[in-house]
Amino acid sequence: MLVLHETETAEALKWADLIDAIERMFRSHCVMPVRHHHEVAVPGEADATLLLMPAWVPGDYIGVKLVSVFPDNHARGLPAIHGSYILSSGKTGKMLAVVDGGELTARRTAATSALAARYLARDDASHLLVVGTGRLSLNLMQAHAAVRPITRVSVWGRNPANAEKSAEEARALGFDAVACTDLEGTARTADIISCATLSSVPLIHGAWLKPGAHLDLIGAFKPSMRESDDEAVRRATIVVDTRDGALGEAGDILQPLKAGVISEADIKADLFDLVAGRHKGRSDGGEITLFKSVGAALEDLAGAILAYETVMEPFARQET
């Protein structure tokens, strides 16, 4: 059985290949049951959470991501979140690989945003604003640069020092990147705004979005969280990764729905619609577009299959 740790997983998931793999999976007959969510008692501490996210393509591959969240791990100096992905044969059930769950999740999340941008961002989009300085910030830069001619990157974070650190790391990768402190002013000039935060209050205001802007919302994954205000969803053409996910978890969608600012009919498409051609994506250069993702198990499966086949391909050649 193949075991891929963090570095090996990253090396096996090149951005262009991963974006294409996720696109193919959205076109496939992938089966995605509802994710399993279990509370786990930890005596004397806060309850932990166990998440199981299965998906399969009949006769091809079966995969499941297992994620544990132990909130009190900070007291032990350990990460709160641990995860692994188990990939098996869809023909025999034989276990094929265990893939690092954290790296897989981070890369497929950014790649999914880039897939949406391929359909929704202007062809000439060159200025990317990344809001948030966590693990995803560099991934988002690299993923978006794989689908659009990104020549300028701005990074904003609540902690300016962290924003500068992210910008420095981006420059080391070859990006023309700077940290910014004026979020409104930078947002007003950006072609693509990609938010990956844990914010519970809007950070990006719809009034700031210039004609032709694309807003990519990743971080807020609970109904109580949001990264955009009501005006942003009111002005934009709304696309989500999956309708079930967005209507179950996405505060950026659920809160304005509850307030009557938008209706479910205002969600114009999901990624299934885009890749199948049922929605053409951006209609003109002045349209404001908004993509909201909360993650889907098929994205993990696509990445795990790609990682496994990439690593195993040289061995397959030797056998032939």
Side-chain angles (χ1 to χ4, degrees):
M1 182 182 67
L2 182 68
V3 178
L4 297 179
H5 299 291
E6 181 176 342
T7 300
E8 296 160 328
T9 300
E11 290 175 351
L13 297 177
K14 305 302 183 187
W15 290 111
D17 294 338
L18 180 55
I19 294 164
D20 289 344
I22 293 172
E23 183 171 38
R24 289 193 300 272
M25 191 60 77
F26 269 100
R27 289 197 180 105
S28 76
H29 300 290
C30 183
V31 179
M32 284 193 300
V34 175
R35 71 179 71 183
H36 299 256
H37 184 288
H38 302 281
E39 296 298 321
V40 179
V42 182
E45 300 182 19
D47 285 351
T49 302
L50 177 64
L51 298 171
L52 297 91
M53 288 156 275
W56 59 86
V57 177
D60 195 1
Y61 289 100
I62 301 171
V64 59
K65 185 164 72 175
L66 295 92
V67 178
S68 64
V69 184
F70 281 71
D72 288 343
N73 267 0
H74 65 86
R76 304 179 180 91
L78 295 174
I81 301 174
H82 295 276
S84 295
Y85 197 91
I86 299 174
L87 183 69
S88 301
S89 168
K91 294 180 180 178
T92 67
K94 178 182 177 181
M95 190 177 295
L96 302 173
V98 176
V99 182
D100 182 83
E103 187 64 22
L104 173 63
T105 302
R107 294 180 82 84
R108 66 81 161 154
T109 300
T112 301
S113 283
L115 173 60
R118 177 184 281 170
Y119 290 91
L120 298 173
R122 286 174 55 110
D123 290 342
D124 61 354
S126 60
H127 179 197
L128 170 66
L129 167 60
V130 176
V131 179
T133 58
R135 180 175 190 169
L136 273 172
S137 60
L138 291 176
N139 286 345
L140 288 165
M141 298 174 202
Q142 295 172 87
H144 281 295
V147 298
R148 287 296 181 266
I150 303 299
T151 58
R152 177 185 172 197
V153 176
S154 302
V155 185
W156 182 90
R158 296 183 190 277
N159 185 325
N162 289 342
E164 180 52 49
K165 180 181 178 182
S166 292
E168 182 179 350
E169 292 172 342
R171 290 193 292 271
L173 293 174
F175 289 101
D176 179 9
V178 297
C180 67
T181 55
D182 180 7
L183 180 58
E184 177 181 348
T186 308
R188 287 182 178 275
T189 66
D191 301 311
I192 300 174
I193 303 171
S194 191
C195 300
T197 74
L198 299 177
S199 182
S200 295
V201 296
L203 297 172
I204 299 298
H205 295 254
W208 302 351
L209 302 175
K210 70 178 185 179
H214 173 58
L215 179 57
D216 174 40
L217 302 175
I218 299 165
F221 57 89
K222 295 180 180 179
S224 60
M225 304 166 72
R226 67 187 307 186
E227 297 175 307
S228 64
D229 69 353
D230 288 347
E231 183 67 4
V233 294
R234 189 191 66 78
R235 293 186 68 196
T237 298
I238 302 169
V239 176
V240 298
D241 54 350
T242 66
R243 291 179 187 271
D244 288 346
L247 293 174
E249 302 176 13
D252 285 286
I253 303 298
L254 292 173
Q255 291 184 39
L257 274 174
K258 184 177 181 180
V261 176
I262 59 172
S263 68
E264 289 190 25
D266 290 312
I267 302 175
K268 298 302 182 183
D270 58 19
L271 281 178
F272 294 104
D273 297 321
L274 288 184
V275 303
R278 292 189 293 270
H279 188 282
K280 65 180 180 179
R282 172 172 291 274
S283 60
D284 60 66
E287 182 182 14
I288 295 172
T289 54
L290 183 154
F291 176 65
K292 175 58 191 169
S293 66
V294 294
L298 69 79
E299 299 158 12
D300 294 304
L301 180 60
I305 293 170
L306 175 62
Y308 173 73
E309 292 185 346
T310 297
V311 173
M312 297 302 294
E313 194 270 339
F315 300 101
R317 283 206 311 266
Q318 291 175 12
E319 292 177 359
T320 58

